Amino acid sequence: MQLLVGLFVLYFGLLALSMFYRQQTMRGPWFFLLRAFFPNWQFYHLVGPVPHLYVRFAPAQGEFGDWQWIYPRQPRTFWSVFHNPWGNRDLALQNLVDHLSSDIKELGEGADASHLVSYQLVCRHAQQAVRAHRGSALPDGTVSGSYQLEIRLERPGPQGLISSDTVLRSPLLPC
């Protein structure tokens, strides 16, 4: 019990110390693996545009449809206060889009983001969203065609969107 209390005190002490001692953003492959456990706290710094994921799909011999906003939302129920694994998964997916937007910002303008792990994970998320929306057309569960994803920084307002800037548009990706 004393060890547990000591770990809590150490944890909150490090949090308090990190609030006063600022340095560069932590980087590295090991930190990247650990950041999945922490949400992206940049929304507390200032109010700004929010990254949104949009996807569009084209059948094998067809044209692209309209861009669809992929924002996972689960219906709220009383029981989700106690047990909500799907809502937690959806929050993690939106957090992944936030991390990709942050990674693209760190890369700089004109840089290739296709090597980023967050980009590859968002591509898989978009592919699953296309499959869920279009249904499985082939016996092996794949959807024939291609899709494209786009990350937009959008600033919502009371009457709709104030601004929308495209941060990333992927090449055509096979389903």
Side-chain angles (χ1 to χ4, degrees), residues 14-110:
L14 287 173
L15 281 178
L17 183 64
S18 69
M19 290 174 56
F20 297 108
Y21 179 70
R22 289 235 170 211
Q23 63 181 26
Q24 294 182 5
T25 304
M26 295 176 65
R27 291 182 167 79
W30 292 106
F31 180 72
F32 185 80
L33 294 174
L34 290 175
R35 81 177 190 176
F37 295 106
F38 304 104
N40 190 352
W41 294 103
Q42 291 182 358
F43 59 88
Y44 284 124
H45 293 287
L46 57 110
V47 177
V50 178
H52 289 161
L53 173 64
Y54 286 85
V55 175
R56 65 181 180 168
F57 172 76
Q61 301 299 327
E63 294 188 22
F64 275 103
D66 294 333
W67 289 101
Q68 300 293 320
W69 180 28
I70 305 299
Y71 185 67
R73 297 296 279 179
Q74 294 289 328
R76 293 182 181 182
T77 64
F78 175 73
W79 296 112
S80 65
V81 172
F82 304 105
H83 183 70
N84 191 9
W86 299 277
N88 291 339
R89 181 205 57 204
D90 292 344
L91 286 174
L93 291 173
Q94 183 58 36
N95 190 27
L96 183 62
V97 172
D98 293 344
H99 278 297
L100 176 60
S101 175
S102 177
D103 289 346
I104 291 170
K105 182 179 173 184
E106 288 178 13
L107 278 179
E109 195 169 330

Side-chain angles (χ1 to χ4, degrees), residues 143-155:
V143 177
S144 66
S146 58
Y147 72 97
Q148 195 173 21
L149 66 93
E150 187 173 82
I151 303 287
R152 297 180 193 167
L153 288 177
E154 297 184 337
R155 187 182 305 262

Side-chain angles (χ1 to χ4, degrees), residues 4-20:
L4 187 62
V5 171
L7 288 175
F8 275 124
V9 169
L10 178 66
Y11 173 72
F12 286 112
L14 287 173
L15 281 178
L17 183 64
S18 69
M19 290 174 56
F20 297 108

